[in-house]
Amino acid sequence: MEKPIGVTILTFVAVVLAFLNAIVMLRFLGFFPFLGVIEGRVFSLWYALLYGLLAYIWVWLAQMLWQVDKQAWMFLAVITIFNLCIDFVLLVTGGSWYDVNLSVLANTLILIYIMLPGVREAFRMA
């Protein structure tokens, strides 16, 4: 069976989000002090663990999407909403929009895209 182009695009976006979450994880461990609004080192083990877990989950999800697994669609929807919730918590607890803007935009676009009927059908027929 041939892989739909939309699934390939979703896989690529999942890899990009894994990379972004890994960068944010390293930032919260204090490795990238030049990223973000606050100059200097920012250390938060809790946020680093959450973003590290999200990076791992995005890599795992990219593998599921590449294989066009039937359960990947539902898992993608759940993880996208979870990632948006984590970004919202970061904003509420004193983070800045600069910290989460790419993640929020990418997750919102993914959520809108996977709700389209053609994408749902591609995963049902897999």
Side-chain angles (χ1 to χ4, degrees):
M1 183 166 135
E2 191 172 311
K3 191 180 319 211
I5 187 71
V7 175
T8 306
I9 292 170
L10 282 174
T11 303
F12 176 73
V13 172
V15 169
V16 169
L17 282 171
F19 180 73
L20 286 175
N21 282 308
I23 294 293
V24 173
M25 177 195 69
L26 291 173
R27 181 180 177 273
F28 279 117
L29 287 175
F31 289 116
F32 293 125
F34 50 86
L35 291 178
V37 177
I38 301 170
E39 291 296 324
R41 296 198 184 276
V42 176
F43 182 80
S44 176
L45 189 58
W46 175 248
Y47 285 140
L49 287 173
L50 284 178
Y51 278 101
L53 178 64
L54 281 174
Y56 175 74
I57 288 172
W58 279 115
V59 169
W60 184 40
L61 183 60
Q63 178 187 4
M64 287 174 61
L65 288 169
W66 186 254
Q67 297 170 355
V68 194
D69 191 353
K70 289 181 181 181
Q71 298 169 347
W73 181 86
M74 179 61 75
F75 193 62
L76 180 61
V78 169
I79 293 304
T80 303
I81 292 170
F82 180 71
N83 205 0
L84 285 170
C85 290
I86 295 291
D87 291 338
F88 178 73
V89 167
L90 179 63
L91 283 174
V92 170
T93 59
S96 68
W97 174 248
Y98 180 78
D99 293 333
V100 296
N101 59 4
L102 290 176
S103 178
V104 169
L105 292 174
N107 282 300
T108 304
L109 290 175
I110 287 174
L111 197 56
I112 291 170
Y113 182 70
I114 65 172
M115 292 301 165
L116 296 176
V119 177
R120 286 184 175 185
E121 203 57 40
F123 282 102
R124 277 195 202 120
M125 299 177 74

